[in-house]
Amino acid sequence: MKSWIEISAQRLAENYRVLADAAGADAAVLAVIKADAYGHGAQLCAPVLTRAGAAWLGVTDPAEGASVRSALASAGIPAGRQPRVLVMSEGLEEDAAAVLEHRLTPVVGNAVQIEALAHAAKRHGIHSVDVHLEIDTGMARQGAAPGRELDAVLEQLRQHNEVRVDGVMTHFASAEVTGSHQTSAQRQTFEQAIQQVASAGLRPSWIHAGNSSTVDNQHDESGSHECPLCWLRRVARAASARPMVRTGLSLYGYSLPLERERDYTGPADPLVRSRLQLVMTWKACVTHIREVEAGTRLGYNGTFTASERMRLALLPLGYADGLRRELSGTDIRSGGRVLFGSQAAAIVGRVSMNLTMVDVTALPGVTVGDEAVVLGQGFTADDHACIAGTIPYEILCGIKSARRFCS
Ligand SMILES: *Cc1c(COP(=O)(O)O)cnc(C)c1O
């Protein structure tokens, strides 16, 4: 095996319970497993999260939803005990049949989608399809904006009784910013939308908003800022619905650093960050060891020149596997690292498509067949992201290795 991923089922389950505990007993925590569970493998993670207590899973499209349903069935979880599966990207007309077939709950935000679902329901002889209505409160990405746009959607819903609004949701642009003005404005807009939905006579069972940072950012209590989950609870209660928050990144042990709005001076302490544990360890075995003389240039374009005699270990993975090319090292400090046990070895020269060299001059014990940790405790997705100039999300979902379970 070239490189592989070890997933800790136990840590994944524990992270879910930490988040559920932080959200409080009255709020549900939807476990987001889109993008193949952020590179962790949705087929592996869905049953673990279900057994940990997740009543809702979130995917991006019906194809992911279908594969989650089959993974749950293969894991011996009968249809009646499976979580509900929210399809979070607004679909195309042709997605409606798959939504019904796999008992998925689609997020809807436009009239075309509602019509397609209503027609598909009639064709399949299905009495009623639950949907979650997304409100665009300021990201301008998906969902119906309050006012005329939402009115048009509500009118469409009135004409199609088969489509039932089970939830109303929105998504925040800056949940990791404590005291965010943008979030305050989005909250207000969402509250207006909920009023508008209620005035149309609809009674959703769920009101949901927010992500991992919403749970982590619970200290936003000073001044006029209500803590994110306090706000969500209040708004849901007023609508006689249950609150729900949707967490992805933190299930896998990561969280964005909390930032402060410029004029915000209150506390901004992460609530759950320190209790999360990394779920993924990405490993590869050394396939070759060689020694090179001082002056030898390494890899493509010879960007690294050995200043002394060096011992190099070759790892059989590269950017085709999702190892970012920005981790290339022009000297032993500038690039990424891998770990042999607790000892770090620098990536030297360019990361190639399928091969990467690391410096093991100071680690004479490292030999062919030894395991290197490419990403995990000691050199995390945050470290990869920092060097690659991106966010841990992109690092995690970019990993393409074969996977396996370890615990
Ligand atoms: C991906 C996603 C989430 C999860 O976000 P995290 O920051 O990973 O917790 C929540 N809601 C929606 C709509 C999403 O698309």
Side-chain angles (χ1 to χ4, degrees), residues 99-191:
V99 160
L100 300 178
E101 185 186 342
H102 301 290
R103 296 168 288 111
L104 309 173
T105 305
V107 166
V108 302
N110 64 66
V112 176
Q113 249 185 314
I114 293 162
E115 220 180 324
L117 281 165
H119 289 155
K122 282 202 192 101
R123 263 200 318 277
H124 288 72
I126 291 173
H127 194 62
S128 163
V129 195
D130 278 359
V131 300
H132 285 206
L133 177 57
E134 179 158 1
I135 308 299
D136 170 24
T137 57
M139 281 187 81
R141 190 176 71 164
Q142 280 202 145
R148 272 193 304 152
E149 229 173 276
L150 181 54
D151 268 335
V153 167
L154 292 171
E155 174 56 27
Q156 193 68 236
L157 286 164
R158 210 181 50 76
Q159 290 176 21
H160 297 290
N161 287 324
E162 305 81 2
V163 180
R164 194 187 83 92
V165 175
D166 176 59
V168 178
M169 63 171 288
T170 193
H171 196 50
F172 293 126
S174 307
E176 73 281 15
V177 180
T178 309
S180 162
H181 297 313
Q182 190 175 18
T183 304
S184 311
Q186 286 193 269
R187 286 182 186 179
Q188 276 183 22
T189 309
F190 192 46
E191 289 180 59

Coordinates of all heavy atoms in Angstrom, one line a residue, residues 99-191:
V99 N -33.8 11.7 -4.5 CA -34.1 12.1 -3.2 C -35.2 11.3 -2.6 O -35.1 10.8 -1.4 CB -34.6 13.6 -3.2 CG1 -35.4 14.0 -2.0 CG2 -33.4 14.5 -3.4
L100 N -36.2 11.0 -3.4 CA -37.4 10.1 -2.9 C -36.9 8.7 -2.7 O -37.2 8.1 -1.7 CB -38.5 10.2 -3.9 CG -39.1 11.6 -4.1 CD1 -40.2 11.5 -5.1 CD2 -39.6 12.2 -2.8
E101 N -36.2 8.2 -3.7 CA -35.8 6.8 -3.6 C -34.9 6.5 -2.4 O -35.1 5.4 -1.8 CB -34.9 6.5 -4.9 CG -34.6 5.0 -5.0 CD -33.6 4.7 -6.2 OE1 -33.5 5.6 -7.1 OE2 -33.0 3.7 -6.1
H102 N -34.1 7.4 -2.0 CA -33.2 7.1 -0.9 C -33.6 7.8 0.4 O -32.9 7.9 1.4 CB -31.7 7.5 -1.2 CG -31.2 6.8 -2.4 ND1 -30.9 5.5 -2.4 CD2 -31.0 7.2 -3.7 CE1 -30.5 5.1 -3.6 NE2 -30.6 6.1 -4.4
R103 N -34.8 8.3 0.4 CA -35.4 8.9 1.6 C -34.5 10.0 2.2 O -34.2 10.0 3.4 CB -35.7 7.8 2.7 CG -36.8 6.8 2.3 CD -36.8 5.6 3.2 NE -35.6 4.7 3.1 CZ -34.7 4.6 4.0 NH1 -34.7 5.2 5.1 NH2 -33.6 3.8 3.8
L104 N -34.1 10.9 1.3 CA -33.3 12.0 1.7 C -34.2 13.2 2.0 O -35.3 13.3 1.5 CB -32.3 12.3 0.6 CG -31.5 11.1 0.1 CD1 -30.7 11.4 -1.1 CD2 -30.7 10.5 1.2
T105 N -33.6 14.2 2.7 CA -34.3 15.4 3.0 C -33.6 16.6 2.3 O -32.5 16.9 2.7 CB -34.4 15.7 4.5 OG1 -35.0 14.6 5.2 CG2 -35.3 16.9 4.8
P106 N -34.2 17.1 1.2 CA -33.5 18.1 0.4 C -33.6 19.5 1.0 O -34.7 19.8 1.6 CB -34.1 18.0 -1.0 CG -35.5 17.6 -0.7 CD -35.4 16.7 0.5
V107 N -32.6 20.3 0.9 CA -32.6 21.7 1.2 C -33.2 22.3 -0.1 O -32.7 22.1 -1.2 CB -31.2 22.2 1.5 CG1 -31.2 23.8 1.5 CG2 -30.8 21.8 2.9
V108 N -34.2 23.1 0.0 CA -34.8 23.8 -1.1 C -34.7 25.3 -0.9 O -34.8 25.8 0.2 CB -36.2 23.4 -1.4 CG1 -36.3 21.9 -1.7 CG2 -37.2 23.8 -0.4
G109 N -34.6 26.0 -2.0 CA -34.6 27.5 -1.9 C -35.1 28.2 -3.1 O -35.1 29.4 -3.3
N110 N -35.7 27.4 -4.1 CA -36.3 28.0 -5.2 C -37.5 27.2 -5.7 O -37.7 26.0 -5.4 CB -35.2 28.2 -6.3 CG -34.7 26.9 -6.8 OD1 -35.4 26.1 -7.4 ND2 -33.4 26.6 -6.6
A111 N -38.3 27.9 -6.5 CA -39.6 27.4 -6.9 C -39.4 26.1 -7.9 O -40.2 25.2 -7.8 CB -40.4 28.5 -7.6
V112 N -38.4 26.1 -8.7 CA -38.2 25.0 -9.7 C -38.0 23.7 -8.9 O -38.6 22.7 -9.3 CB -37.0 25.3 -10.6 CG1 -36.7 24.2 -11.5 CG2 -37.2 26.6 -11.3
Q113 N -37.2 23.8 -7.9 CA -36.9 22.6 -7.1 C -38.2 22.0 -6.5 O -38.4 20.8 -6.4 CB -36.0 23.0 -6.0 CG -34.6 22.5 -6.0 CD -33.9 22.9 -4.7 OE1 -34.0 24.1 -4.3 NE2 -33.3 22.0 -4.1
I114 N -39.0 22.9 -6.0 CA -40.2 22.5 -5.3 C -41.2 21.8 -6.2 O -41.8 20.8 -6.0 CB -40.9 23.7 -4.6 CG1 -40.0 24.2 -3.4 CG2 -42.3 23.4 -4.1 CD1 -40.3 25.6 -3.0
E115 N -41.3 22.4 -7.4 CA -42.2 21.8 -8.4 C -41.7 20.4 -8.8 O -42.5 19.5 -9.0 CB -42.2 22.8 -9.7 CG -43.5 22.9 -10.3 CD -43.5 23.8 -11.5 OE1 -42.7 24.8 -11.4 OE2 -44.2 23.5 -12.4
A116 N -40.4 20.3 -9.0 CA -39.8 19.0 -9.4 C -40.1 18.0 -8.4 O -40.4 16.8 -8.7 CB -38.3 19.2 -9.7
L117 N -39.9 18.3 -7.1 CA -40.1 17.4 -6.0 C -41.6 17.0 -6.0 O -42.0 15.8 -5.8 CB -39.7 18.0 -4.7 CG -38.2 18.0 -4.4 CD1 -37.9 18.9 -3.2 CD2 -37.8 16.5 -4.1
A118 N -42.5 18.0 -6.2 CA -43.9 17.7 -6.1 C -44.3 16.7 -7.3 O -45.1 15.8 -7.0 CB -44.7 19.0 -6.2
H119 N -43.8 17.0 -8.4 CA -44.1 16.1 -9.6 C -43.6 14.7 -9.4 O -44.2 13.7 -9.6 CB -43.6 16.7 -10.9 CG -44.3 17.9 -11.3 ND1 -43.8 18.9 -12.1 CD2 -45.6 18.3 -11.0 CE1 -44.7 19.8 -12.3 NE2 -45.8 19.5 -11.6
A120 N -42.3 14.6 -8.9 CA -41.7 13.3 -8.6 C -42.5 12.6 -7.6 O -42.8 11.4 -7.7 CB -40.3 13.5 -8.2
A121 N -43.0 13.3 -6.5 CA -43.8 12.6 -5.5 C -45.1 12.0 -6.1 O -45.4 10.9 -5.8 CB -44.1 13.6 -4.4
K122 N -45.7 12.8 -6.9 CA -47.0 12.3 -7.6 C -46.7 11.1 -8.4 O -47.4 10.1 -8.3 CB -47.6 13.4 -8.5 CG -48.3 14.5 -7.7 CD -49.3 15.2 -8.6 CE -49.8 16.5 -7.9 NZ -49.1 17.7 -8.4
R123 N -45.6 11.1 -9.2 CA -45.2 10.0 -10.0 C -45.0 8.7 -9.2 O -45.3 7.6 -9.6 CB -44.0 10.3 -10.8 CG -44.2 10.8 -12.2 CD -43.0 10.7 -13.1 NE -41.7 11.0 -12.5 CZ -41.3 12.3 -12.4 NH1 -42.0 13.3 -12.9 NH2 -40.1 12.5 -11.8
H124 N -44.3 8.9 -8.0 CA -44.0 7.8 -7.2 C -45.1 7.4 -6.2 O -45.0 6.5 -5.4 CB -42.7 8.0 -6.4 CG -41.5 8.1 -7.2 ND1 -41.2 9.1 -8.1 CD2 -40.5 7.2 -7.3 CE1 -40.0 8.8 -8.7 NE2 -39.6 7.7 -8.2
G125 N -46.2 8.1 -6.3 CA -47.3 7.8 -5.4 C -47.0 8.1 -3.9 O -47.5 7.5 -3.0
I126 N -46.1 9.1 -3.7 CA -45.7 9.5 -2.4 C -46.5 10.7 -1.9 O -46.7 11.7 -2.6 CB -44.2 9.8 -2.3 CG1 -43.4 8.5 -2.5 CG2 -43.8 10.4 -1.0 CD1 -41.9 8.7 -2.7
H127 N -47.1 10.5 -0.7 CA -48.0 11.5 -0.2 C -47.4 12.8 0.1 O -47.9 13.9 -0.2 CB -48.7 10.8 1.0 CG -49.9 11.6 1.5 ND1 -51.0 11.7 0.7 CD2 -50.2 12.2 2.6 CE1 -51.9 12.4 1.3 NE2 -51.5 12.7 2.5
S128 N -46.2 12.7 0.8 CA -45.6 13.9 1.3 C -44.1 13.8 1.4 O -43.6 12.8 1.8 CB -46.2 14.1 2.7 OG -45.5 15.0 3.5
V129 N -43.4 14.9 0.9 CA -41.9 14.9 1.0 C -41.6 16.1 1.9 O -42.0 17.2 1.7 CB -41.3 15.4 -0.4 CG1 -39.8 15.1 -0.4 CG2 -42.1 14.8 -1.5
D130 N -40.7 15.7 2.9 CA -40.2 16.8 3.8 C -39.0 17.5 3.2 O -38.1 16.8 2.6 CB -39.7 16.1 5.1 CG -40.8 15.8 6.1 OD1 -42.0 16.2 5.7 OD2 -40.6 15.3 7.2
V131 N -39.0 18.8 3.3 CA -37.9 19.6 2.8 C -37.5 20.6 3.9 O -38.2 20.9 4.8 CB -38.2 20.4 1.5 CG1 -38.6 19.4 0.4 CG2 -39.3 21.4 1.8
H132 N -36.2 21.0 3.8 CA -35.8 22.1 4.6 C -35.6 23.4 3.7 O -34.9 23.3 2.7 CB -34.5 21.8 5.4 CG -34.8 20.8 6.5 ND1 -34.0 20.7 7.6 CD2 -35.8 20.0 6.7 CE1 -34.5 19.9 8.5 NE2 -35.6 19.4 7.9
L133 N -36.2 24.4 4.1 CA -36.2 25.6 3.3 C -35.0 26.5 3.7 O -34.9 26.9 4.9 CB -37.5 26.4 3.6 CG -37.8 27.7 3.0 CD1 -37.7 27.6 1.4 CD2 -39.2 28.2 3.4
E134 N -34.2 26.8 2.8 CA -33.0 27.6 3.1 C -33.3 29.1 2.8 O -33.8 29.5 1.8 CB -31.7 27.2 2.3 CG -30.5 28.1 2.6 CD -29.2 27.5 2.3 OE1 -29.1 26.4 1.9 OE2 -28.2 28.2 2.6
I135 N -32.9 29.9 3.8 CA -33.0 31.4 3.6 C -31.7 32.0 3.4 O -30.7 31.7 4.1 CB -33.6 32.0 5.0 CG1 -34.9 31.2 5.4 CG2 -33.8 33.5 4.8 CD1 -36.0 31.3 4.4
D136 N -31.6 32.8 2.3 CA -30.4 33.5 2.1 C -30.4 34.7 2.9 O -31.1 35.7 2.7 CB -30.3 33.9 0.6 CG -29.1 34.8 0.3 OD1 -28.2 34.8 1.1 OD2 -29.2 35.6 -0.7
T137 N -29.5 34.7 4.0 CA -29.5 35.9 4.9 C -28.3 36.7 4.7 O -28.0 37.6 5.5 CB -29.6 35.4 6.4 OG1 -28.5 34.5 6.6 CG2 -30.9 34.6 6.7
G138 N -27.6 36.5 3.6 CA -26.4 37.4 3.4 C -25.2 36.8 2.8 O -24.2 37.5 2.5
M139 N -25.3 35.5 2.4 CA -24.1 34.9 1.7 C -24.3 35.0 0.2 O -23.4 34.8 -0.6 CB -23.9 33.5 2.1 CG -23.2 33.3 3.4 SD -22.7 31.6 3.8 CE -21.2 31.4 2.8
A140 N -25.6 35.2 -0.2 CA -25.9 35.3 -1.6 C -25.5 34.1 -2.4 O -25.0 34.2 -3.5 CB -25.3 36.6 -2.2
R141 N -25.6 33.0 -1.8 CA -25.1 31.7 -2.4 C -26.3 30.8 -2.7 O -26.5 30.4 -3.9 CB -24.2 31.1 -1.4 CG -23.4 29.9 -1.9 CD -22.4 29.4 -0.9 NE -23.0 28.7 0.2 CZ -22.4 27.9 1.1 NH1 -21.1 27.8 1.0 NH2 -23.0 27.3 2.1
Q142 N -27.1 30.5 -1.8 CA -28.2 29.6 -1.9 C -29.4 30.1 -1.1 O -29.1 30.9 -0.1 CB -27.9 28.2 -1.3 CG -27.1 27.3 -2.1 CD -27.3 25.9 -1.6 OE1 -27.3 25.0 -2.4 NE2 -27.5 25.6 -0.4
G143 N -30.5 29.7 -1.4 CA -31.7 30.0 -0.6 C -32.5 31.2 -1.1 O -32.1 31.9 -2.0
A144 N -33.7 31.3 -0.5 CA -34.5 32.4 -0.9 C -34.3 33.6 0.1 O -34.3 33.4 1.3 CB -36.0 31.9 -0.8
A145 N -34.2 34.8 -0.4 CA -34.1 35.9 0.4 C -35.4 36.3 0.9 O -36.4 36.2 0.2 CB -33.4 37.1 -0.4
P146 N -35.5 36.8 2.2 CA -36.8 37.2 2.7 C -37.4 38.3 1.8 O -36.7 39.1 1.1 CB -36.5 37.8 4.1 CG -35.2 37.3 4.4 CD -34.5 37.0 3.1
G147 N -38.8 38.4 1.8 CA -39.4 39.4 0.9 C -40.0 38.7 -0.3 O -40.5 37.6 -0.2
R148 N -39.8 39.3 -1.4 CA -40.4 38.8 -2.6 C -40.0 37.4 -3.0 O -40.8 36.6 -3.4 CB -40.2 39.8 -3.8 CG -41.3 40.9 -3.9 CD -41.2 41.6 -5.2 NE -39.8 42.1 -5.4 CZ -39.2 42.3 -6.5 NH1 -39.8 42.0 -7.6 NH2 -38.0 42.8 -6.6
E149 N -38.7 37.2 -2.9 CA -38.2 35.9 -3.3 C -38.8 34.7 -2.5 O -39.2 33.7 -3.0 CB -36.7 35.9 -3.1 CG -35.9 35.3 -4.3 CD -34.4 35.5 -4.2 OE1 -33.9 36.6 -4.5 OE2 -33.7 34.6 -3.7
L150 N -38.8 35.0 -1.1 CA -39.4 34.0 -0.2 C -40.9 33.9 -0.5 O -41.4 32.8 -0.4 CB -39.1 34.4 1.2 CG -39.6 33.4 2.3 CD1 -39.1 32.0 2.1 CD2 -39.1 33.9 3.7
D151 N -41.5 35.0 -0.8 CA -43.0 34.9 -1.1 C -43.2 34.0 -2.2 O -44.2 33.2 -2.2 CB -43.5 36.3 -1.4 CG -44.0 37.0 -0.1 OD1 -44.4 36.3 0.8 OD2 -44.0 38.3 -0.1
A152 N -42.4 34.1 -3.3 CA -42.6 33.3 -4.5 C -42.5 31.8 -4.1 O -43.3 31.0 -4.6 CB -41.6 33.7 -5.6
V153 N -41.5 31.5 -3.3 CA -41.3 30.1 -2.8 C -42.5 29.6 -2.0 O -43.0 28.5 -2.1 CB -39.9 30.0 -2.1 CG1 -39.8 28.6 -1.4 CG2 -38.8 30.2 -3.0
L154 N -42.9 30.5 -1.1 CA -44.1 30.1 -0.2 C -45.3 29.9 -1.1 O -46.1 29.0 -0.8 CB -44.3 31.2 0.8 CG -43.2 31.3 1.9 CD1 -43.4 32.6 2.8 CD2 -43.1 30.1 2.7
E155 N -45.5 30.7 -2.1 CA -46.6 30.5 -3.0 C -46.6 29.2 -3.7 O -47.5 28.4 -3.8 CB -46.7 31.7 -4.0 CG -47.7 31.6 -5.1 CD -49.2 31.4 -4.5 OE1 -49.4 31.9 -3.4 OE2 -50.0 30.8 -5.3
Q156 N -45.4 28.8 -4.1 CA -45.1 27.5 -4.8 C -45.4 26.4 -3.8 O -46.1 25.4 -4.2 CB -43.7 27.5 -5.2 CG -43.3 26.4 -6.2 CD -43.9 26.5 -7.5 OE1 -44.6 25.6 -8.0 NE2 -43.7 27.7 -8.2
L157 N -45.1 26.6 -2.6 CA -45.3 25.5 -1.6 C -46.8 25.4 -1.3 O -47.3 24.3 -1.1 CB -44.6 25.9 -0.2 CG -43.1 25.7 -0.2 CD1 -42.4 26.4 0.9 CD2 -42.8 24.2 -0.2
R158 N -47.5 26.5 -1.4 CA -49.0 26.5 -1.2 C -49.7 25.7 -2.3 O -50.7 25.0 -2.0 CB -49.5 28.0 -1.1 CG -50.7 28.2 -0.3 CD -51.2 29.6 -0.3 NE -51.3 30.1 -1.7 CZ -52.3 29.8 -2.5 NH1 -53.3 29.1 -2.2 NH2 -52.3 30.3 -3.8
Q159 N -49.1 25.8 -3.5 CA -49.7 25.1 -4.6 C -49.4 23.6 -4.6 O -50.0 22.9 -5.3 CB -49.3 25.7 -5.9 CG -49.9 27.1 -6.1 CD -49.3 27.7 -7.4 OE1 -48.8 27.1 -8.3 NE2 -49.4 29.1 -7.5
H160 N -48.3 23.2 -3.9 CA -47.9 21.8 -3.9 C -47.9 21.3 -2.5 O -46.9 21.3 -1.8 CB -46.5 21.7 -4.5 CG -46.4 22.2 -5.9 ND1 -47.0 21.4 -7.0 CD2 -45.9 23.2 -6.5 CE1 -46.8 22.0 -8.1 NE2 -46.2 23.2 -7.9
N161 N -49.1 20.7 -2.1 CA -49.2 20.2 -0.7 C -48.3 19.0 -0.4 O -48.1 18.7 0.7 CB -50.7 19.9 -0.5 CG -51.5 21.1 -0.3 OD1 -51.0 22.1 0.2 ND2 -52.7 21.1 -0.8
E162 N -47.9 18.4 -1.5 CA -47.0 17.2 -1.3 C -45.7 17.6 -0.6 O -45.0 16.8 0.0 CB -46.6 16.5 -2.6 CG -47.8 16.1 -3.5 CD -48.3 17.3 -4.3 OE1 -47.7 18.4 -4.2 OE2 -49.3 17.1 -5.0
V163 N -45.3 18.8 -0.8 CA -44.0 19.3 -0.3 C -44.2 20.0 1.1 O -44.9 21.0 1.2 CB -43.3 20.2 -1.3 CG1 -41.9 20.7 -0.7 CG2 -43.1 19.5 -2.6
R164 N -43.6 19.4 2.1 CA -43.9 19.9 3.5 C -42.6 20.5 4.1 O -41.5 19.8 4.0 CB -44.3 18.7 4.4 CG -44.9 19.1 5.7 CD -45.1 17.8 6.6 NE -43.9 17.4 7.3 CZ -43.6 17.8 8.5 NH1 -44.3 18.6 9.2 NH2 -42.4 17.4 9.0
V165 N -42.7 21.7 4.6 CA -41.5 22.3 5.2 C -41.3 21.8 6.6 O -42.0 22.2 7.5 CB -41.7 23.9 5.2 CG1 -40.5 24.5 5.9 CG2 -41.8 24.3 3.7
D166 N -40.3 20.9 6.7 CA -40.0 20.3 8.0 C -39.0 21.1 8.8 O -38.8 21.1 10.0 CB -39.4 18.9 7.7 CG -38.9 18.2 9.0 OD1 -39.8 18.0 9.9 OD2 -37.7 17.8 9.0
G167 N -38.2 22.0 8.0 CA -37.2 22.8 8.7 C -37.0 24.1 7.9 O -37.3 24.2 6.7
V168 N -36.5 25.1 8.6 CA -36.1 26.3 8.0 C -34.6 26.6 8.5 O -34.3 26.5 9.7 CB -37.0 27.5 8.4 CG1 -36.5 28.8 7.8 CG2 -38.4 27.2 8.0
M169 N -33.8 26.9 7.6 CA -32.3 27.0 7.9 C -31.7 28.2 7.2 O -32.2 28.8 6.2 CB -31.6 25.8 7.4 CG -31.7 25.6 5.9 SD -30.7 24.2 5.3 CE -29.0 24.9 5.4
T170 N -30.5 28.6 7.7 CA -29.6 29.5 7.0 C -28.2 29.1 7.4 O -27.9 28.3 8.2 CB -30.0 31.0 7.4 OG1 -29.3 31.8 6.4 CG2 -29.5 31.3 8.8
H171 N -27.3 29.8 6.7 CA -25.9 29.5 6.9 C -25.1 30.9 7.1 O -25.4 31.8 6.4 CB -25.3 28.8 5.7 CG -24.0 28.2 5.9 ND1 -23.8 27.3 7.0 CD2 -22.8 28.2 5.2 CE1 -22.5 26.9 6.9 NE2 -21.9 27.4 5.8
F172 N -24.2 30.9 8.1 CA -23.5 32.1 8.4 C -22.2 32.2 7.6 O -21.5 31.2 7.5 CB -23.2 32.2 9.9 CG -24.5 32.4 10.7 CD1 -24.7 31.5 11.8 CD2 -25.3 33.4 10.5 CE1 -25.9 31.6 12.5 CE2 -26.5 33.6 11.2 CZ -26.8 32.7 12.3
A173 N -21.9 33.4 7.2 CA -20.6 33.7 6.5 C -19.4 33.8 7.4 O -18.3 33.5 7.0 CB -20.8 35.0 5.7
S174 N -19.6 34.2 8.7 CA -18.5 34.5 9.5 C -18.7 34.0 10.9 O -18.5 34.7 11.9 CB -18.2 36.0 9.6 OG -18.2 36.5 8.3
A175 N -19.0 32.7 11.0 CA -19.4 32.1 12.4 C -18.2 32.1 13.3 O -18.3 32.1 14.5 CB -19.9 30.7 12.2
E176 N -16.9 32.1 12.8 CA -15.8 32.1 13.6 C -15.4 33.5 14.1 O -14.4 33.6 14.9 CB -14.6 31.4 12.9 CG -13.9 32.2 11.8 CD -14.7 32.1 10.5 OE1 -15.9 31.8 10.5 OE2 -14.1 32.5 9.5
V177 N -16.1 34.5 13.7 CA -15.8 35.9 14.1 C -16.7 36.3 15.3 O -17.9 36.4 15.1 CB -15.9 36.9 13.0 CG1 -15.6 38.3 13.5 CG2 -15.0 36.5 11.8
T178 N -16.1 36.4 16.5 CA -16.9 36.7 17.7 C -17.3 38.2 17.6 O -16.5 39.1 17.2 CB -16.0 36.5 18.9 OG1 -15.5 35.2 18.9 CG2 -16.8 36.7 20.2
G179 N -18.6 38.5 17.9 CA -19.1 39.8 17.8 C -19.3 40.3 16.4 O -19.3 41.5 16.1
S180 N -19.4 39.4 15.4 CA -19.5 39.7 14.0 C -20.7 40.6 13.7 O -21.9 40.2 14.0 CB -19.5 38.5 13.1 OG -19.9 38.7 11.9
H181 N -20.5 41.7 13.0 CA -21.7 42.5 12.5 C -22.4 41.8 11.4 O -23.6 41.8 11.3 CB -21.2 43.8 12.0 CG -20.5 44.7 13.0 ND1 -21.0 44.9 14.2 CD2 -19.3 45.4 12.9 CE1 -20.2 45.7 14.9 NE2 -19.1 46.0 14.2
Q182 N -21.7 41.0 10.6 CA -22.3 40.3 9.5 C -23.3 39.3 10.1 O -24.4 39.1 9.7 CB -21.3 39.7 8.6 CG -21.9 39.1 7.4 CD -20.8 38.5 6.4 OE1 -19.7 38.3 6.8 NE2 -21.2 38.4 5.2
T183 N -22.8 38.6 11.2 CA -23.7 37.5 11.8 C -24.9 38.2 12.4 O -26.0 37.7 12.2 CB -22.9 36.7 12.8 OG1 -21.7 36.2 12.2 CG2 -23.7 35.6 13.4
S184 N -24.7 39.4 13.1 CA -25.9 40.0 13.7 C -26.9 40.3 12.6 O -28.1 40.1 12.8 CB -25.5 41.3 14.3 OG -24.5 41.2 15.2
A185 N -26.4 40.9 11.5 CA -27.4 41.2 10.4 C -28.0 40.0 9.8 O -29.3 39.9 9.6 CB -26.6 41.9 9.3
Q186 N -27.3 38.9 9.7 CA -27.9 37.6 9.2 C -28.9 37.1 10.2 O -29.9 36.6 9.8 CB -26.8 36.6 9.0 CG -25.9 36.9 7.7 CD -25.1 35.7 7.3 OE1 -23.9 35.6 7.8 NE2 -25.6 34.8 6.5
R187 N -28.6 37.2 11.5 CA -29.6 36.8 12.5 C -31.0 37.5 12.3 O -32.0 36.9 12.3 CB -29.1 37.0 13.9 CG -28.0 36.1 14.3 CD -27.6 36.5 15.8 NE -26.5 35.7 16.3 CZ -26.0 35.9 17.5 NH1 -26.5 36.7 18.3 NH2 -24.9 35.2 17.9
Q188 N -30.8 38.8 12.2 CA -32.1 39.6 12.0 C -32.9 39.2 10.8 O -34.1 39.0 10.8 CB -31.7 41.1 11.9 CG -31.5 41.7 13.2 CD -31.3 43.2 13.1 OE1 -31.6 43.8 12.0 NE2 -30.6 43.8 14.1
T189 N -32.1 39.0 9.7 CA -32.8 38.7 8.4 C -33.5 37.3 8.6 O -34.6 37.1 8.1 CB -31.8 38.6 7.3 OG1 -31.1 39.9 7.3 CG2 -32.4 38.4 6.0
F190 N -32.8 36.4 9.3 CA -33.3 35.0 9.5 C -34.6 35.1 10.3 O -35.6 34.4 10.0 CB -32.3 34.1 10.1 CG -32.6 32.7 10.1 CD1 -33.1 32.0 9.0 CD2 -32.4 31.9 11.3 CE1 -33.4 30.7 9.0 CE2 -32.7 30.5 11.3 CZ -33.2 29.9 10.1
E191 N -34.6 35.9 11.3 CA -35.8 36.1 12.2 C -37.0 36.6 11.3 O -38.1 36.1 11.5 CB -35.5 36.9 13.4 CG -34.6 36.2 14.4 CD -34.3 37.1 15.6 OE1 -35.3 37.5 16.3 OE2 -33.1 37.4 15.9

